[in-house]
Amino acid sequence: VKVSLRGGHLKAKTADDAFRFQAGGLIAADTAWYSADDNVVKANDWGNGTEIRYARLFILGKVWNHWNFKLQYDFEGPGALKDASLEYTGLRKYTEIPLNIKVGFYKEPFSLEELTMAKFTTFMERALPNAMAPSRNVGVQLASSGGVYQGGWTAAAGWFTGGVIAENDNGNDESNAFAGRLTLAPWAAKTQVLHLGGAVEYRNYDNSSIRIRSRPEAHTAEHRMVDTGDFTADSTLKWGAELAGVYGPFSVQGEYIYTHVNNYNGTGADAGLNGWYGFASWLLTGESRSYLSKSGVFGRIKPKGVVGRGGWGAWELVGRY
């Protein structure tokens, strides 16, 4: 067995690479003070404060060449299981393109920012429209990827149970959904990336109570700028569009998400919810955002200089609307 600390994680693998194991963790801390027009919301309603946003431990790896696993736990607040999945990659032996099947508790294939791991997102908190993006649910999905021009493409589709943001089933059957995502990156070089993507989710409910809400892109805030309150629906259909680009130390990213609600509050009427965001980034120390073409998301930024080894680390200036 070979053991290493490459990349800052404890890693071990067998000589034939049939078994791999990796363990790691992540801590994020946040402090915030707010100022607001009293005509909108009284400033003391926001909740100035400091917190450990999340403290997570994870293990991941593979066994018998074709079985990947991941388990992640978050100790923030009461604690919560973040990932528990098993993926089989051996189907590529029988197909002309890579084809993986995944089961367990993990994120649905929807939204570039939602699928980008928390430790790799540009901001600590995801943008407000993320309130409409489905996150982790129990399900099964098929996924594939391949190369195209100077980049790659990805495709994933699956069936999932669970709620949208918060769901109270009141003893009824769980909702269930079908979700899918396609991405195309005609350019995915080390310092130049063009990403295009789209996703859709249809979810059917059984008289469940639905609520979509979000803090103002800062978790310490008590006030919810976006909150639909509880409502019922027969089903929801949502779709999202993604666009991102990287050129050296500069990058931009944006998404639009629309949710169509069928039979809102049992009135027979439909309702529509939508939102979008855009941000621009400049890495002052010259690094570039890395892109993972096999999964259609962004990865880690690798600093050119390491603090304590003669470097200043990586510094970034960003703005989001």
Side-chain angles (χ1 to χ4, degrees):
V1 175
K2 299 179 180 180
V3 180
S4 76
L5 294 175
R6 184 179 179 183
H9 301 295
L10 175 62
K11 300 178 180 180
K13 68 176 182 178
T14 56
D16 60 0
D17 201 29
F19 293 80
R20 286 183 176 227
F21 174 85
Q22 177 177 324
L26 173 67
I27 296 178
D30 193 19
T31 183
W33 291 265
Y34 304 93
S35 176
D37 189 331
D38 285 349
N39 293 327
V40 179
V41 58
K42 292 183 178 180
N44 59 8
D45 289 342
W46 290 77
N48 299 337
T50 302
E51 68 172 353
I52 297 298
R53 178 61 178 94
Y54 39 76
R56 300 176 181 175
L57 292 177
F58 70 84
I59 58 172
L60 57 84
K62 72 173 181 178
V63 294
W64 299 114
N65 290 306
H66 301 303
W67 294 92
N68 296 333
F69 65 88
K70 182 177 182 180
L71 183 66
Q72 181 175 216
Y73 189 83
D74 192 346
F75 294 89
E76 185 271 332
L81 184 66
K82 289 299 181 182
D83 291 281
S85 63
L86 185 65
E87 182 179 34
Y88 180 66
T89 62
L91 293 176
R92 66 185 65 188
K93 295 186 299 182
Y94 312 104
T95 60
E96 295 182 358
I97 59 175
L99 187 63
N100 303 335
I101 183 169
K102 187 176 183 179
V103 297
F105 181 67
Y106 54 93
K107 291 183 177 181
E108 295 185 26
F110 194 104
S111 173
L112 170 62
E113 190 168 61
E114 177 64 30
L115 291 173
T116 299
M117 296 177 66
K119 58 184 177 180
F120 300 148
T121 55
T122 300
F123 294 84
M124 187 179 297
E125 302 297 333
R126 295 178 171 90
L128 283 176
N130 186 254
M132 291 183 288
S135 185
R136 294 175 175 87
N137 286 306
V138 176
V140 55
Q141 79 170 24
L142 287 173
S144 184
S145 63
V148 58
Y149 192 49
Q150 298 182 20
W153 60 269
T154 72
W159 171 82
F160 299 87
T161 65
V164 180
I165 296 297
E167 180 181 348
N168 178 12
D169 58 23
N170 295 319
N172 298 305
D173 293 338
E174 282 187 315
S175 65
N176 57 85
F178 292 93
R181 178 175 182 254
L182 292 171
T183 71
L184 173 66
W187 292 279
K190 188 174 182 179
T191 60
Q192 296 183 22
V193 177
L194 175 61
H195 167 94
L196 304 169
V200 62
E201 186 217 48
Y202 173 80
R203 183 171 291 276
N204 183 58
Y205 294 92
D206 181 25
N207 297 319
S208 297
S209 177
I210 310 166
R211 186 177 187 179
I212 298 176
R213 60 179 182 169
S214 180
R215 291 180 172 88
E217 300 176 348
H219 191 261
T220 58
E222 295 297 328
H223 184 70
R224 309 270 184 166
M225 289 187 67
V226 176
D227 191 346
T228 64
D230 293 330
F231 66 91
T232 59
D234 286 344
S235 63
T236 58
L237 175 65
K238 59 183 62 180
W239 60 269
E242 312 165 4
L243 174 64
V246 175
Y247 187 79
F250 302 98
S251 70
V252 293
Q253 180 176 315
E255 290 187 73
Y256 176 85
I257 300 178
Y258 180 84
T259 299
H260 178 84
V261 180
N262 182 39
N263 193 18
Y264 171 72
N265 264 342
T267 61
D270 295 341
L273 306 167
N274 69 88
W276 62 272
Y277 75 86
F279 74 74
S281 162
W282 177 23
L283 278 154
L284 305 175
T285 41
E287 293 84 357
S288 294
R289 295 182 72 193
S290 64
Y291 184 75
L292 309 177
S293 58
K294 291 185 177 181
S295 51
V297 299
F298 284 96
R300 63 176 295 193
I301 293 173
K302 298 181 179 179
K304 292 183 176 180
V306 180
V307 177
R309 296 184 180 179
W312 292 92
W315 291 81
E316 186 176 22
L317 180 65
V318 295
R320 178 168 63 190
Y321 181 81

